[in-house]
Amino acid sequence: MLGLTMKCHARIPGDLDLSQIFDSKPMIDRSAWLIGAILEKQICFSDCSGAPMSSAEIRKICGNPVTTKTIVDGLKSAGVLFVGKKYEVGRTFKRYAINPRLFRKTTIKGNNIVHHEITAPTVIRTIRKSLERHKNYEFFRWGDFHYDIYSELQQPKLDSEEAERCFDVILSEDERIDEGLAAIMGFQVDQLKTDTTVKMSVSKTGRIYTPLCRLKSWLRGCMQYEGDWCVGHDVKACQPTLLAALMVCVANKDVSFFTKKDVAKRVKILGIGLKPIGRCDISRKDAQEFAEFVENCDIYDTLVEDLKKRGHYRTRDDMKLAFMRDIFAKRGSYASVEEHAFKRRFPVVWKQIKKINELDYRTLINFMQFMESEVVIHHALKKSFDLGCRGFFTVHDSIYATEKYTDLILRGFEYASEMVGIKLNIDVSENIVIMRQEEEELSLQRQHFTEIMFEA
């Protein structure tokens, strides 16, 4: 992600005058490009903790080391850029964040974001080279269906007025929405409103990334296709469910899913290693018990309740994050009550995770993401597309489309369930208007209850 719009424009805060910091057009253009790139990466995290960026990424934008230091130091001195101190060569990137005070808190219409035009010839040449390298590096991962997805991705459009209404409600009710998060959301909305095309990339694990992946769920609900609201079709507890499918495959010594012609082709193209899976020694009984559990129970809620009984309060979202950080891809030997809860309930499966990650803590999570893309994209979505589903977009384990295509999408997930050998439980959301009405009704009920309590 280069932080650029079409025609070499970079998004920067509207109240920022870079000519007051730098006195040459190339330096101004490069600093604007850097700000736009940091903001675009920052919105992936939906907060103001900063975006991790390597020194190579920064130098690609700023130029040689001397120019890089001049630009970074200049933006830091002017209070535009914050740079985190935690850094470890080859392991931990520095974190860069744009000062949230440069944005307004009360709107997401993007009226405090301007598109700085980059005109310095040397900078434009650098940008074009970067874009060409990025294109050549990634496009070998694209198959024919990726181009169909890209075409459909351009069809849904954001209803900015509905997004503004929803945001007003959230700002008035949720004190946790600070100026930084509001700025991030404003940047996201501006990106959707002003870019002529929605960008799409395919990662090294086959995952599809677009600007829509970064949006809050209620913002994604403000997308429309042919006048109807898009709704989400989410795989419940997707990663644990696919882990169960993998355990069953290993226990049954049946890897037919991964040897299917198209799947095997993508395994080879992406360089997905199957050897670490061979370290598993789970029995059919243990694998089947775990599969039946995730098919019939909500594993996140179950572990949350287990922790509450032991005096630890966690939300469902906390547990989902812990699965990615502490269970599937734990780096080091730090204590984690979430991992301990998982180990107590599923000791054999926990042992398999440790075996798979024996040489690299990222092995399992990368494999899970590959399985996710195969199941959701190349089986469920592809089947839905063949049946006539249109105007869709994806968010990793979710397919968004209008309600008239829900039956086709559910049929696609049924097909994917048969192929991968485990039941995928699908949660279909309400459209954004109904969701907002329900939230308003709930708010009125809470207010009414409070009033009665005060009167009593």
Side-chain angles (χ1 to χ4, degrees), residues 269-286:
I269 289 174
L270 297 172
I272 301 297
L274 299 178
K275 287 185 179 179
I277 308 302
R279 302 191 190 110
C280 296
D281 59 359
I282 191 169
S283 69
R284 291 186 179 183
K285 178 178 178 294
D286 288 327

Side-chain angles (χ1 to χ4, degrees), residues 21-136:
I21 306 174
F22 304 106
D23 57 7
S24 75
K25 180 60 173 166
M27 294 282 279
I28 291 171
D29 282 355
R30 288 187 183 277
S31 62
W33 181 10
L34 178 63
I35 290 169
I38 291 171
L39 278 172
E40 182 157 347
K41 197 162 187 178
Q42 208 172 324
I43 66 178
C44 297
F45 301 89
S46 296
D47 59 28
C48 282
S49 62
M53 298 182 72
S54 68
S55 57
E57 289 179 277
I58 301 298
R59 285 198 303 270
K60 178 182 68 177
I61 295 170
C62 297
N64 61 58
V66 174
T67 306
T68 299
K69 187 176 189 308
T70 301
I71 291 174
V72 171
D73 288 349
L75 293 176
K76 285 170 61 179
S77 299
V80 174
L81 179 65
F82 299 147
V83 181
K85 294 182 179 179
K86 185 177 180 182
Y87 174 67
E88 188 178 346
V89 176
R91 297 180 72 87
T92 305
F93 293 159
K94 289 183 180 179
R95 301 185 77 90
Y96 296 81
I98 304 303
N99 190 340
R101 295 186 180 277
L102 296 171
F103 297 89
R104 297 191 185 110
K105 174 181 177 180
T106 56
T107 182
I108 59 167
K109 290 181 178 176
N111 60 357
N112 201 34
I113 297 171
V114 297
H115 294 181
H116 173 92
E117 185 176 5
I118 294 174
T119 58
T122 55
V123 182
I124 290 175
R125 284 197 295 271
T126 304
I127 289 171
R128 286 175 177 167
K129 288 179 181 178
S130 296
L131 289 170
E132 191 63 29
R133 282 197 299 268
H134 179 74
K135 177 182 177 182
N136 292 337

Side-chain angles (χ1 to χ4, degrees), residues 129-376:
K129 288 179 181 178
S130 296
L131 289 170
E132 191 63 29
R133 282 197 299 268
H134 179 74
K135 177 182 177 182
N136 292 337
Y137 171 72
E138 182 194 302
F139 271 58
F140 75 92
R141 302 173 186 155
W142 287 50
D144 292 341
F145 186 47
H146 286 117
Y147 290 95
D148 292 326
I149 295 172
Y150 177 77
S151 177
E152 295 301 322
L153 175 64
Q154 310 308 317
Q155 306 308 315
K157 302 299 178 185
L158 179 75
D159 186 315
S160 54
E161 292 184 2
E162 184 62 35
E164 186 71 26
R165 281 195 290 270
C166 292
F167 192 66
D168 287 342
V169 172
I170 291 174
L171 273 179
S172 63
E173 294 183 354
D174 194 341
E175 296 179 354
R176 295 171 298 175
I177 303 293
D178 60 13
E179 60 186 3
L181 184 52
I184 296 299
M185 292 180 181
F187 189 93
Q188 292 172 332
V189 171
D190 180 80
Q191 188 176 42
L192 291 174
K193 287 169 58 181
T194 58
D195 280 1
T196 55
T197 58
V198 180
K199 301 173 187 175
M200 176 178 135
S201 63
V202 180
S203 77
K204 62 182 181 181
T205 60
R207 260 188 168 186
I208 289 176
Y209 287 89
T210 73
L212 299 171
C213 295
R214 308 157 178 163
L215 300 181
K216 294 292 185 181
S217 58
W218 58 267
L219 260 178
R220 291 196 291 265
C222 295
M223 301 293 291
Q224 284 191 340
Y225 173 64
E226 294 184 341
D228 294 325
W229 300 107
C230 293
V231 300
H233 307 77
D234 305 336
V235 182
K236 293 182 180 178
C238 184
Q239 298 288 346
T241 301
L242 295 180
L243 175 63
L246 179 62
M247 292 297 100
V248 171
C249 285
V250 170
N252 292 333
K253 294 181 171 53
D254 177 11
V255 292
S256 57
F257 177 77
F258 301 104
T259 56
K260 287 176 57 181
K261 181 179 178 180
D262 290 341
V263 179
K265 179 181 177 182
R266 287 184 287 271
V267 165
K268 184 176 181 180
I269 289 174
L270 297 172
I272 301 297
L274 299 178
K275 287 185 179 179
I277 308 302
R279 302 191 190 110
C280 296
D281 59 359
I282 191 169
S283 69
R284 291 186 179 183
K285 178 178 178 294
D286 288 327
Q288 195 58 46
E289 285 180 356
F290 184 57
E292 289 174 359
F293 184 90
V294 296
E295 284 180 328
N296 299 302
C297 304
D298 189 311
I299 191 170
Y300 298 136
D301 288 344
T302 299
L303 293 177
V304 164
E305 290 302 315
D306 286 353
L307 285 174
K308 283 182 180 178
K309 292 175 184 177
R310 305 179 74 80
H312 302 286
Y313 178 79
R314 296 290 188 276
T315 66
R316 192 172 189 276
D317 286 342
D318 291 336
M319 186 55 67
K320 289 174 70 174
L321 175 62
F323 258 82
M324 301 299 106
R325 181 193 61 211
D326 302 336
I327 299 173
F328 285 162
K330 186 176 182 180
R331 178 180 165 189
S333 56
Y334 58 87
S336 166
V337 294
E338 294 90 350
E339 183 192 24
H340 186 64
F342 181 87
K343 180 181 177 181
R344 281 176 60 88
R345 188 172 275 272
F346 310 108
V348 177
V349 178
W350 177 83
K351 181 181 176 183
Q352 308 311 310
I353 293 173
K354 291 302 178 184
K355 287 186 174 183
I356 293 172
N357 288 340
E358 186 177 5
L359 299 180
D360 188 339
Y361 73 96
R362 298 165 294 189
T363 302
L364 179 62
I365 195 65
N366 287 340
F367 198 83
M368 289 291 95
Q369 289 183 3
F370 171 73
M371 284 189 69
E372 176 191 80
S373 70
E374 285 300 318
V375 170
V376 177

Side-chain angles (χ1 to χ4, degrees), residues 379-407:
H379 285 75
L381 184 59
K382 181 64 166 64
K383 186 68 171 179
S384 305
F385 178 76
D386 291 343
L387 292 171
C389 181
R390 295 294 183 270
F392 52 76
F393 59 92
T394 62
V395 183
H396 305 321
D397 60 359
S398 307
I399 299 173
Y400 278 77
T402 59
E403 290 173 300
K404 77 175 187 177
Y405 294 120
T406 291
D407 287 344

Side-chain angles (χ1 to χ4, degrees), residues 422-437:
I422 197 166
K423 178 184 176 184
L424 302 172
N425 294 306
I426 310 303
D427 184 22
V428 183
S429 66
E430 299 279 6
N431 73 56
I432 189 67
V433 175
I434 294 176
M435 290 173 64
R436 193 179 70 252
Q437 289 172 348

